[in-house]
């Protein structure tokens, strides 16, 4: 009595296409979310530079680091969506 058996019908071509489209939409939403975080982070770095809390070199390095992280995570999202 500890096993539950579920019968799941095979996917149809139509259902596969529908699921692929949903995955594409979800992936795009996640890419937009990552870009929004990048935009917010860049704004914070610029505010810190304007308030003289960081140097121009630190700001430039921070912007580059944020862009690198953005590229890494968008790449991961693309790979997951592809698989």
């Amino acid at each position: 009595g500890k096993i539950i058996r579920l019968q799941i019908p095979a996917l149809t071509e139509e259902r596969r296409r529908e699921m692929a489209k949903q995955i594409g939409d979800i992936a795009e939403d996640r890419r937009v979310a990552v870009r929004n975080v990048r935009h917010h982070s860049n704004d914070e770095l610029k505010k810190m530079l304007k308030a003289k809390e960081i140097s121009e070199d630190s700001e430039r390095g921070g912007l580059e680091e944020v862009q690198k992280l953005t590229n890494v995570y968008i790449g991961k999202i693309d790979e997951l969506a592809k698989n």
Side-chain angles (χ1 to χ4, degrees):
K2 294 183 182 182
I3 296 176
I4 298 175
R5 294 180 190 211
L6 299 174
Q7 292 185 1
I8 300 173
L11 289 176
T12 63
E13 184 66 27
E14 180 181 330
R15 182 66 179 142
R16 277 191 196 112
R17 288 182 185 173
E18 187 179 308
M19 289 177 75
K21 184 178 179 189
Q22 287 176 344
I23 290 169
D25 292 343
I26 291 168
E28 183 58 32
D29 289 344
R30 299 309 176 253
R31 284 190 287 270
V32 168
V34 169
R35 289 185 194 118
N36 286 339
V37 170
R38 176 190 63 193
H39 182 72
H40 177 74
S41 298
N42 288 347
D43 288 347
E44 288 297 316
L45 285 167
K46 289 175 185 177
K47 285 179 189 176
M48 290 172 72
L49 176 65
K50 193 171 186 178
K52 308 241 186 232
E53 295 174 9
I54 59 173
S55 67
E56 287 183 26
D57 289 338
S58 295
E59 186 234 4
R60 199 171 309 119
L63 292 174
E64 289 174 6
E65 185 66 27
V66 168
Q67 185 61 45
K68 286 178 188 175
L69 288 170
T70 300
N71 293 342
V72 166
Y73 284 102
I74 287 181
K76 287 181 180 182
I77 291 168
D78 290 341
E79 175 135 355
L80 287 170
K82 184 178 80 173
N83 290 336

